[in-house]
Amino acid sequence: MNASKILKTYFGYDSFRDGQEEIIQSILDGKDALAIMPTGAGKSLCYQVPALLLSGITLVISPLISLMQDQVKALNEAGIHAAFINSSLTETQIAKALGLAMNGTYKIIYVAPERLESAGFIQFAQSAEISMVTVDEAHCISQWGQDFRPSYLKIVDFIGQLPKRPVISAFTATATREVKADIECILQLNHPSIVVTGFDRENLYYRVEQISGKNKDKFILDYIDRHPNESGVVYCATRKNVDAVCELLSRNGAAVTSYHAGLDNAVRKKNQEDFIYDRAPVIVATNAFGMGIDKSNVRFVIHYNMPQSMENYYQEAGRAGRDGEDAQCILLFSPQDIRTNKFLLERKAFEGVGAEDIELIKQRDAQRLQSMEGYCRITSCLRNYILEYFGEKADVPCDNCGNCHREYTQEDMTAEAKWVINCIAETKGRYGQNIVMGILLGANRARLKEIGASSYKSYGVLSDKKERELRVLINEMLMEGYVIQTADEYSVLKIGDITRLRDEDTRVVIRKFEEKEQADGTRNRKARSTDVLTSAGFDLFEKLRQLRLEIAKEEAMPPYIIFSDKTLVDMCAKAPVDKAGMLAVSGVGENKFQKYGQRFIDAIAEFTADNPDAVISTTADEDIPVTKNVKQNAGTSWTNEEDDVLRNEFQSGMKIAEIAKAHGRTNGAIRARLKKHGLLE
C-alpha cells in the first residue's frame, strides 16, 4: 500500500493538500523533516500516513493530554491502532499499552515530553523498533517561542539513548525565523527537508474593534445573539474576566461554559468536553485553553482582550475554521489591555531558564507586545500585517479583512484633547469616562446635576461633537499616555504625562472610518462548501447533524471525529445511495463506512423519499433553484428552523427575492427578518 492509498482508505481523501506529499515522501526516504503549516492545513496527516508505511513504531511527542486523546480517538475511528502514554493512565494501563506496542498492535504512540525521562519508557524504546520520532507543536522547544516548555529540551537526550537514530520530524503552525532556527539546531535535524506552506488562512476574516469597558460586553452579547447556532471561543486575559463574561452570556440565555487554570481539574475537563461535544457551543477561556483542540466547526474566535504577542494571537485565532469554512477572528482592543499585559508579563515565571537569558526574554516579550499593539492600531490590511510579521511578503491588500473594508480618514483634535485634560483637572480625577464625556457634551443627566457639572468651564464645550468621536479621542489619549485610566472596579480618568501637549507642534490626531463593506466580510468571502446547498439541502444537513450527534453520544465521541461538517455537506451534495457513493464523499474512509456509512445512507434515503421533488444542491454556475419542499408560509409566524434556513441562505449569497420566493413571503418580510438578525442595516 502506498501513501495515496492510505490517504483514501483510512482518511477518505482523494488527494494531498499543499506541502503534505513533499513532507511524507521526505520521511519515507529516511530524511528528517520540518513543516511549518497553518492550523487546519493537515499537519497530523504528514506523520500519520508515513507512520503506517514505516516498519516500526512512530513516537509522537505532544504537549497536552487533550491533544493526545483527540488524535488517538480520531485514528482509532479511522481504523488505525494508536495509543497515548501520559499521566492520565495508571502504571498498569501504561505497562499494558507498551506490551501491546512491543507485539506490533500500535503503529503510533503519543507521549508527553516528561515521559521521555522515565526509566521504564526508555527501556521500552531501546527494545522496540522506533522508526520515527515526531515533535508536535515544535515551537515549544525554543525559549524564543511563545509556549516554551523546558521538558522539550529532553527530546534530544532521549533520541541519543536509542540504539539506532530514527527519522526526526517536527511540526508547528507558528514559527518566526529565530524559532525555526532554534527547532533545527536544538533537535539536531540532519539536512532536513523544510516545508513552509505559508501562514495565510484565506477562510479567516480578521477584524479589530477599538472599544472598551461595557461596550465590549455589548458587542459580544450582540454578536452571539446574531449567531445563535454557531460554535466559538471568547478569549480573555484574566480569570476574573473569564468568569464575568461567562456569567454575562449565561444570564442572557447563551449555552456557554468556561475554562481557566483556577477551576478544579474535573470542572475544566467537563467544561472542555461540553464545548467539544457541542453541549455548550461557546466557551470563554484564558490562553490556558486551546492548544491541540481539534474542533473543526469553530465559526468565531473573539478576543475580549489583546493577547501578549502575534504568535499567541495567530495560534488562538487559528482555532477558528479548521474545516476550511469561513470564520470570524475579532479582536476587541482598548488601551487597558496594554497595561493588563504589561502587568502579567512582569509576573511571568521563568522555570527552567538560565538567569542570563531572563533579561533577553523580557526584552523579546516587550517587543512582541509592541508588535501586537501595532496590529490593533494599524489602518492598513490586517492579514498582510500578520503575514509580514511571520516573514511572508504580501504585495496587495487582501480585500477580506475589517481594515480593507473601511475607509479611514484623520482629524486633528488637539484643541479637543486639551479640553479633555481641563475637564479631568476640574473634576480632580474623581470620575470615569462616561461622566467626563457627559460634562464635555453638556449632557442633561441627573448624575451630572448632582455633582454640579454645569458650573464647570468645560461643561458643554464639545457639544458639537458626537459621543463616539469623544470616545475615540479619549482612547487615543489613553494610548499616548496623556490620560490614565485606573484599574479599579470603578475606574476613573486621571491626567497622565502631558509634557508633550505643552509643545505647540504636538498634534493629537484620531482616525475615523466609514464601512465600505459589511463588517463580517460576507460580500467578498470565498465560496463555502455550504454554497451548493439549497433550503432543502440545509434541511438534510440538519438531519445528518442530528444523526451524527446521536452516534457521538452512543460512542462517547466528539461529533467532529465522527464526520466533520464539511463531510456532511459533501454527503448532502452527493446524496450517496450505496457504498461506492459514500466512499466518494470527502472524509469517508473504509473504516468509517463500515461503522456509520449505512446509517447515513438510510437517513439520506428517508429524506429523499419524504421530499421526492426537493432539489438539494446546485453548482456555483447554475441559477439557484426554488426548493419545492419548502412550505409556502403565507402567515406571519416564523419557526426557529425557518429562521436558521433564512440566515444560512442569505449568508450563502442568495438574493432576497430568491429567498422570498423559496419561503413564500414578500421581499419586505425577508428584509425585516434579516434586519432583526443584524444581517441588514
Side-chain angles (χ1 to χ4, degrees), residues 563-590:
F563 288 125
S564 70
D565 281 2
K566 199 167 186 177
T567 294
L568 294 187
V569 170
D570 199 35
M571 219 177 272
C572 293
K574 290 175 178 171
V577 297
D578 55 20
K579 178 179 181 180
M582 185 59 82
L583 288 176
V585 172
S586 177
V588 180
E590 288 280 355

Side-chain angles (χ1 to χ4, degrees), residues 220-239:
I220 289 175
L221 280 173
D222 290 347
Y223 186 92
I224 291 176
D225 184 56
R226 293 198 312 271
H227 301 81
N229 299 316
E230 293 185 357
S231 182
V233 183
V234 179
Y235 277 109
C236 299
T238 65
R239 300 175 188 180

Side-chain angles (χ1 to χ4, degrees), residues 356 358 613 665 676:
E356 67 279 4
I358 290 177
D613 297 324
R665 295 182 183 268
K676 182 180 185 302

Side-chain angles (χ1 to χ4, degrees), residues 540-558:
L540 175 57
F541 177 63
E542 285 304 315
K543 182 181 179 73
L544 298 186
R545 283 185 69 193
Q546 287 305 308
L547 173 58
R548 180 182 65 180
L549 184 60
E550 182 183 319
I551 293 171
K553 288 176 179 177
E554 293 169 7
E555 301 280 338
M557 195 81 65

Side-chain angles (χ1 to χ4, degrees), residues 291-528:
M291 185 185 285
I293 296 300
D294 216 14
K295 195 170 194 285
S296 61
N297 65 333
V298 174
R299 295 271 67 83
F300 64 86
V301 171
I302 298 175
H303 278 80
Y304 188 83
N305 306 105
M306 180 188 81
Q308 293 177 358
S309 70
M310 287 302 300
E311 288 92 341
N312 283 340
Y313 182 66
Y314 182 80
Q315 189 173 63
E316 290 160 11
R319 285 164 192 144
R322 292 178 66 101
D323 54 6
E325 298 293 277
D326 283 356
Q328 295 276 312
C329 304
I330 304 169
L331 198 164
L332 308 181
F333 171 67
S334 70
Q336 180 63 38
D337 296 338
I338 301 169
R339 290 189 289 277
T340 299
N341 280 319
K342 285 180 177 177
F343 175 84
L344 294 172
L345 286 172
E346 284 169 4
R347 284 152 183 79
K348 179 177 177 178
F350 290 97
E351 181 187 350
V353 179
E356 67 279 4
D357 289 330
I358 290 177
E359 191 56 40
L360 286 172
I361 294 174
K362 284 183 175 180
Q363 290 175 15
R364 187 64 58 88
D365 286 343
Q367 290 168 3
R368 285 200 186 99
L369 186 61
Q370 192 173 25
S371 295
M372 191 69 241
E373 182 185 350
Y375 174 82
C376 295
R377 299 185 64 175
I378 62 163
T379 58
S380 56
C381 178
L382 292 169
R383 187 182 310 278
N384 286 359
Y385 188 98
I386 293 171
L387 296 179
E388 287 170 11
Y389 179 85
F390 287 107
E392 206 170 302
K393 183 62 180 171
D395 297 323
V396 294
C398 72
D399 195 31
N400 190 37
C401 74
N403 282 5
C404 283
H405 293 168
R406 286 172 174 169
E407 192 74 59
Y408 282 92
T409 57
Q410 291 187 330
E411 181 179 349
D412 188 331
M413 294 190 74
T414 308
E416 290 85 349
K418 290 179 178 178
W419 272 115
V420 171
I421 297 297
N422 285 340
C423 182
I424 295 172
E426 279 190 291
T427 59
K428 297 181 172 60
R430 291 176 296 177
Y431 303 117
Q433 190 167 329
N434 287 336
I435 292 289
V436 170
M437 287 196 302
I439 293 170
L440 292 165
L441 292 168
N444 184 22
R445 299 182 202 153
R447 176 62 176 141
L448 296 182
K449 290 177 182 176
E450 184 183 338
I451 65 174
S454 60
S455 65
Y456 295 158
K457 290 181 181 178
S458 54
Y459 183 77
V461 293
L462 301 182
S463 58
D464 60 326
K465 299 296 178 184
K466 294 179 181 177
E467 183 176 325
R468 184 176 179 278
E469 289 178 290
L470 279 192
R471 197 174 295 281
V472 172
L473 171 61
I474 291 173
N475 280 345
E476 181 66 26
M477 295 177 73
L478 285 165
M479 289 182 205
E480 294 292 342
Y482 299 136
V483 174
I484 296 169
Q485 189 171 31
T486 64
D488 313 291
E489 183 179 355
Y490 303 103
S491 61
V492 298
L493 296 183
K494 295 186 177 292
I495 297 173
D497 182 0
I498 58 172
T499 307
R500 285 178 296 147
L501 268 183
R502 295 193 177 98
D503 186 338
E504 288 299 319
D505 293 330
T506 298
R507 316 311 298 162
V508 178
V509 178
I510 68 163
R511 301 169 301 156
K512 301 167 71 175
F513 65 83
E514 297 292 333
E515 300 286 357
K516 292 193 291 184
E517 303 284 350
Q518 289 183 352
D520 61 1
T522 52
R523 293 184 186 175
N524 287 313
R525 63 167 175 78
K526 306 292 186 291
R528 298 181 300 193

